[in-house]
Short mmCIF file of all heavy atoms in Angstrom, two decimals:
data_model
loop_
_atom_site.label_atom_id
_atom_site.label_comp_id
_atom_site.label_asym_id
_atom_site.label_seq_id
_atom_site.Cartn_x
_atom_site.Cartn_y
_atom_site.Cartn_z
N ARG A 1 0.83 -1.20 0.00
CA ARG A 1 0.00 0.00 0.00
C ARG A 1 0.87 1.26 0.00
O ARG A 1 0.63 2.18 -0.77
CB ARG A 1 -0.94 -0.01 1.20
CG ARG A 1 -1.97 1.12 1.15
CD ARG A 1 -2.94 1.08 2.32
NE ARG A 1 -2.27 1.53 3.53
CZ ARG A 1 -1.99 0.77 4.59
NH1 ARG A 1 -2.32 -0.49 4.61
NH2 ARG A 1 -1.37 1.26 5.64
N ARG A 2 1.90 1.29 0.82
CA ARG A 2 2.77 2.46 0.90
C ARG A 2 3.52 2.69 -0.42
O ARG A 2 3.64 3.82 -0.87
CB ARG A 2 3.77 2.31 2.05
CG ARG A 2 3.12 2.29 3.42
CD ARG A 2 2.48 3.59 3.78
NE ARG A 2 3.51 4.61 3.78
CZ ARG A 2 3.31 5.90 3.79
NH1 ARG A 2 2.09 6.37 3.84
NH2 ARG A 2 4.29 6.76 3.78
N LEU A 3 3.99 1.61 -1.03
CA LEU A 3 4.68 1.76 -2.31
C LEU A 3 3.75 2.34 -3.37
O LEU A 3 4.13 3.23 -4.12
CB LEU A 3 5.23 0.42 -2.79
CG LEU A 3 6.48 -0.09 -2.08
CD1 LEU A 3 6.78 -1.52 -2.50
CD2 LEU A 3 7.67 0.81 -2.36
N ARG A 4 2.52 1.84 -3.41
CA ARG A 4 1.56 2.35 -4.40
C ARG A 4 1.16 3.79 -4.11
O ARG A 4 1.06 4.62 -5.02
CB ARG A 4 0.34 1.44 -4.45
CG ARG A 4 0.62 0.14 -5.17
CD ARG A 4 -0.63 -0.73 -5.30
NE ARG A 4 -0.32 -1.94 -5.99
CZ ARG A 4 0.17 -3.04 -5.42
NH1 ARG A 4 0.38 -3.08 -4.12
NH2 ARG A 4 0.44 -4.12 -6.14
N GLU A 5 0.94 4.11 -2.84
CA GLU A 5 0.59 5.47 -2.46
C GLU A 5 1.70 6.43 -2.84
O GLU A 5 1.44 7.51 -3.38
CB GLU A 5 0.33 5.57 -0.96
CG GLU A 5 -0.97 4.96 -0.51
CD GLU A 5 -1.10 4.90 1.01
OE1 GLU A 5 -0.16 5.29 1.73
OE2 GLU A 5 -2.16 4.44 1.48
N ASN A 6 2.92 6.06 -2.57
CA ASN A 6 4.05 6.94 -2.87
C ASN A 6 4.22 7.11 -4.38
O ASN A 6 4.58 8.19 -4.83
CB ASN A 6 5.34 6.41 -2.25
CG ASN A 6 5.36 6.66 -0.76
OD1 ASN A 6 4.69 7.55 -0.25
ND2 ASN A 6 6.12 5.85 -0.04
N ARG A 7 3.96 6.09 -5.15
CA ARG A 7 4.05 6.21 -6.60
C ARG A 7 2.98 7.16 -7.11
O ARG A 7 3.21 7.92 -8.04
CB ARG A 7 3.88 4.85 -7.27
CG ARG A 7 5.09 3.98 -7.11
CD ARG A 7 4.91 2.75 -7.88
NE ARG A 7 5.82 2.87 -9.02
CZ ARG A 7 5.99 1.94 -9.91
NH1 ARG A 7 5.29 0.83 -9.84
NH2 ARG A 7 6.83 2.09 -10.88
N GLU A 8 1.78 7.11 -6.51
CA GLU A 8 0.71 7.99 -6.94
C GLU A 8 0.99 9.44 -6.54
O GLU A 8 0.69 10.36 -7.28
CB GLU A 8 -0.62 7.53 -6.35
CG GLU A 8 -1.09 6.21 -6.94
CD GLU A 8 -2.24 5.59 -6.16
OE1 GLU A 8 -2.77 6.22 -5.23
OE2 GLU A 8 -2.60 4.45 -6.49
N LEU A 9 1.59 9.64 -5.36
CA LEU A 9 1.88 10.99 -4.91
C LEU A 9 3.04 11.63 -5.66
O LEU A 9 3.03 12.82 -5.93
CB LEU A 9 2.22 10.97 -3.41
CG LEU A 9 1.06 10.69 -2.46
CD1 LEU A 9 1.58 10.59 -1.03
CD2 LEU A 9 0.00 11.77 -2.55
N PHE A 10 4.04 10.83 -5.97
CA PHE A 10 5.25 11.36 -6.57
C PHE A 10 5.63 10.58 -7.83
O PHE A 10 6.70 10.00 -7.92
CB PHE A 10 6.41 11.28 -5.56
CG PHE A 10 6.09 11.90 -4.25
CD1 PHE A 10 5.82 11.10 -3.14
CD2 PHE A 10 6.03 13.27 -4.11
CE1 PHE A 10 5.52 11.67 -1.93
CE2 PHE A 10 5.73 13.85 -2.88
CZ PHE A 10 5.46 13.05 -1.79
N PRO A 11 4.75 10.59 -8.83
CA PRO A 11 5.02 9.77 -10.01
C PRO A 11 6.27 10.19 -10.78
O PRO A 11 6.90 9.38 -11.42
CB PRO A 11 3.77 9.93 -10.86
CG PRO A 11 3.18 11.22 -10.42
CD PRO A 11 3.54 11.35 -8.97
N GLU A 12 6.63 11.45 -10.72
CA GLU A 12 7.80 11.91 -11.46
C GLU A 12 8.72 12.70 -10.55
O GLU A 12 9.26 13.72 -10.91
CB GLU A 12 7.35 12.75 -12.64
CG GLU A 12 6.46 11.94 -13.56
CD GLU A 12 6.45 12.46 -14.96
OE1 GLU A 12 7.38 13.17 -15.35
OE2 GLU A 12 5.48 12.15 -15.66
N GLU A 13 8.92 12.20 -9.35
CA GLU A 13 9.74 12.91 -8.38
C GLU A 13 11.21 12.97 -8.79
O GLU A 13 11.88 13.95 -8.59
CB GLU A 13 9.61 12.25 -7.01
CG GLU A 13 10.42 12.95 -5.96
CD GLU A 13 10.32 12.25 -4.64
OE1 GLU A 13 10.36 11.02 -4.61
OE2 GLU A 13 10.22 12.96 -3.63
N VAL A 14 11.71 11.91 -9.38
CA VAL A 14 13.12 11.85 -9.74
C VAL A 14 13.25 11.86 -11.26
O VAL A 14 12.67 11.04 -11.94
CB VAL A 14 13.79 10.59 -9.16
CG1 VAL A 14 15.24 10.52 -9.59
CG2 VAL A 14 13.66 10.58 -7.65
N ILE A 15 14.01 12.80 -11.76
CA ILE A 15 14.27 12.88 -13.19
C ILE A 15 15.77 12.73 -13.38
O ILE A 15 16.56 13.45 -12.77
CB ILE A 15 13.80 14.23 -13.77
CG1 ILE A 15 12.30 14.40 -13.53
CG2 ILE A 15 14.14 14.33 -15.25
CD1 ILE A 15 11.78 15.78 -13.86
N VAL A 16 16.18 11.82 -14.22
CA VAL A 16 17.60 11.63 -14.50
C VAL A 16 17.86 12.13 -15.91
O VAL A 16 17.26 11.66 -16.88
CB VAL A 16 18.01 10.14 -14.37
CG1 VAL A 16 19.48 9.97 -14.67
CG2 VAL A 16 17.68 9.64 -12.97
N TRP A 17 18.77 13.10 -16.03
CA TRP A 17 19.09 13.69 -17.32
C TRP A 17 20.16 12.86 -18.00
O TRP A 17 20.81 12.01 -17.41
CB TRP A 17 19.57 15.13 -17.13
CG TRP A 17 18.54 15.95 -16.44
CD1 TRP A 17 18.52 16.29 -15.13
CD2 TRP A 17 17.34 16.47 -16.99
NE1 TRP A 17 17.39 17.01 -14.84
CE2 TRP A 17 16.64 17.14 -15.97
CE3 TRP A 17 16.78 16.46 -18.27
CZ2 TRP A 17 15.44 17.78 -16.18
CZ3 TRP A 17 15.58 17.11 -18.46
CH2 TRP A 17 14.92 17.76 -17.43
N GLU A 18 20.37 13.12 -19.30
CA GLU A 18 21.33 12.34 -20.08
C GLU A 18 22.73 12.38 -19.50
O GLU A 18 23.48 11.42 -19.62
CB GLU A 18 21.35 12.82 -21.53
CG GLU A 18 20.12 12.38 -22.29
CD GLU A 18 20.17 12.80 -23.74
OE1 GLU A 18 21.27 13.01 -24.26
OE2 GLU A 18 19.09 12.91 -24.35
N ASP A 19 23.12 13.47 -18.85
CA ASP A 19 24.47 13.56 -18.27
C ASP A 19 24.53 12.93 -16.88
O ASP A 19 25.48 13.12 -16.14
CB ASP A 19 24.97 15.00 -18.24
CG ASP A 19 24.14 15.89 -17.32
OD1 ASP A 19 23.16 15.41 -16.73
OD2 ASP A 19 24.49 17.07 -17.19
N ASN A 20 23.46 12.17 -16.53
CA ASN A 20 23.36 11.43 -15.26
C ASN A 20 23.20 12.31 -14.03
O ASN A 20 23.30 11.84 -12.92
CB ASN A 20 24.55 10.48 -15.07
CG ASN A 20 24.49 9.34 -16.05
OD1 ASN A 20 23.42 8.89 -16.43
ND2 ASN A 20 25.64 8.90 -16.50
N ARG A 21 22.97 13.63 -14.23
CA ARG A 21 22.65 14.46 -13.08
C ARG A 21 21.22 14.16 -12.69
O ARG A 21 20.36 13.94 -13.54
CB ARG A 21 22.77 15.94 -13.42
CG ARG A 21 24.19 16.39 -13.56
CD ARG A 21 24.29 17.89 -13.70
NE ARG A 21 23.49 18.34 -14.82
CZ ARG A 21 22.78 19.47 -14.82
NH1 ARG A 21 22.77 20.25 -13.77
NH2 ARG A 21 22.08 19.82 -15.87
N GLU A 22 20.95 14.17 -11.42
CA GLU A 22 19.61 13.83 -10.93
C GLU A 22 18.98 15.06 -10.31
O GLU A 22 19.58 15.73 -9.47
CB GLU A 22 19.73 12.71 -9.89
CG GLU A 22 18.42 12.08 -9.53
CD GLU A 22 18.62 10.89 -8.63
OE1 GLU A 22 18.80 9.77 -9.13
OE2 GLU A 22 18.59 11.11 -7.41
N LEU A 23 17.79 15.39 -10.74
CA LEU A 23 17.03 16.49 -10.15
C LEU A 23 15.86 15.88 -9.40
O LEU A 23 15.09 15.12 -9.97
CB LEU A 23 16.55 17.45 -11.24
CG LEU A 23 17.65 18.08 -12.08
CD1 LEU A 23 17.04 18.94 -13.19
CD2 LEU A 23 18.57 18.92 -11.22
N VAL A 24 15.71 16.23 -8.15
CA VAL A 24 14.70 15.61 -7.31
C VAL A 24 13.60 16.61 -6.99
O VAL A 24 13.86 17.78 -6.71
CB VAL A 24 15.33 15.11 -5.99
CG1 VAL A 24 14.28 14.48 -5.09
CG2 VAL A 24 16.45 14.13 -6.29
N GLY A 25 12.36 16.14 -7.03
CA GLY A 25 11.22 16.93 -6.58
C GLY A 25 10.69 17.91 -7.61
O GLY A 25 9.99 18.83 -7.25
N LEU A 26 11.01 17.73 -8.86
CA LEU A 26 10.54 18.68 -9.87
C LEU A 26 9.12 18.44 -10.31
O LEU A 26 8.45 19.35 -10.73
CB LEU A 26 11.46 18.65 -11.09
CG LEU A 26 12.87 19.16 -10.89
CD1 LEU A 26 13.64 19.05 -12.19
CD2 LEU A 26 12.85 20.60 -10.42
N GLY A 27 8.69 17.21 -10.29
CA GLY A 27 7.37 16.91 -10.83
C GLY A 27 7.40 17.12 -12.32
O GLY A 27 8.43 17.05 -12.96
N GLU A 28 6.26 17.41 -12.90
CA GLU A 28 6.21 17.62 -14.34
C GLU A 28 6.68 19.03 -14.67
O GLU A 28 6.32 19.99 -14.00
CB GLU A 28 4.79 17.39 -14.86
CG GLU A 28 4.37 15.94 -14.74
CD GLU A 28 3.10 15.67 -15.49
OE1 GLU A 28 2.85 16.33 -16.53
OE2 GLU A 28 2.34 14.82 -15.03
N THR A 29 7.50 19.14 -15.70
CA THR A 29 7.99 20.44 -16.13
C THR A 29 7.78 20.56 -17.63
O THR A 29 7.60 19.58 -18.33
CB THR A 29 9.50 20.59 -15.82
OG1 THR A 29 10.20 19.54 -16.49
CG2 THR A 29 9.77 20.52 -14.33
N THR A 30 7.88 21.81 -18.10
CA THR A 30 7.79 22.01 -19.54
C THR A 30 9.17 21.81 -20.15
O THR A 30 10.17 21.78 -19.45
CB THR A 30 7.30 23.44 -19.86
OG1 THR A 30 8.31 24.35 -19.43
CG2 THR A 30 5.97 23.73 -19.18
N GLU A 31 9.22 21.71 -21.46
CA GLU A 31 10.51 21.53 -22.14
C GLU A 31 11.42 22.72 -21.87
O GLU A 31 12.61 22.57 -21.65
CB GLU A 31 10.27 21.34 -23.63
CG GLU A 31 11.49 20.84 -24.36
CD GLU A 31 11.15 20.47 -25.79
OE1 GLU A 31 10.16 19.76 -26.01
OE2 GLU A 31 11.90 20.92 -26.68
#
């Protein structure tokens, strides 16, 4: 239940860019 809840709350919390830098907590962003 907790895993599913967290996926629903933060579906795009972690974004990994091509240069392997990680941005956390951005959610959905525009291009």
Side-chain angles (χ1 to χ4, degrees):
R1 188 178 74 248
R2 295 294 299 166
L3 285 171
R4 285 184 179 85
E5 287 172 357
N6 285 336
R7 286 186 108 177
E8 291 167 7
L9 290 175
F10 308 105
E12 301 204 21
E13 181 182 41
V14 178
I15 300 171
V16 179
W17 302 101
E18 286 183 24
D19 64 359
N20 291 327
R21 287 188 304 142
E22 192 174 272
L23 301 176
V24 179
L26 293 180
E28 292 191 32
T29 59
T30 66
E31 193 172 312

